[in-house]
Amino acid sequence: ARSDAARALALASKSAEPGTPSSRVGRAHLAVARAARALGEASVARTAYAAALEDLEPSPGASHTETQEARRFAKAPGAAAR
């Protein structure tokens, strides 16, 4: 799952406009974060959740469930390890 998520992130990043938030890139970061979290890699997961948050807050927006997930795990030390 982690390699698939990393591949999706590479593809999404390549097709995204540099410096412009992208929900596609955000969701790919979220997939990396979820895979890292499942593997118990808390630091990697937090970093990926934080990156996802940057792309997901502008679109689909702060109230979206994926954005809320990214915010919760990016800002809660140790939460990604649970």
Side-chain angles (χ1 to χ4, degrees):
R2 174 122 182 233
S3 63
D4 290 341
R7 190 171 25 256
L9 177 57
L11 291 171
S13 296
K14 185 176 180 180
S15 66
E17 182 76 28
T20 303
S22 164
S23 61
R24 185 173 173 207
V25 173
R27 286 186 174 106
H29 277 294
L30 197 57
V32 170
R34 289 171 176 161
R37 182 173 174 231
L39 294 170
E41 299 172 349
S43 178
V44 173
R46 273 192 303 277
T47 300
Y49 277 121
L53 184 60
E54 289 180 21
D55 282 298
L56 294 174
E57 275 194 318
S59 174
S63 63
H64 193 275
T65 57
E66 290 176 326
T67 307
Q68 292 173 358
E69 175 188 351
R71 185 180 306 106
R72 181 173 59 249
F73 289 117
K75 303 207 175 170
R82 289 187 213 150

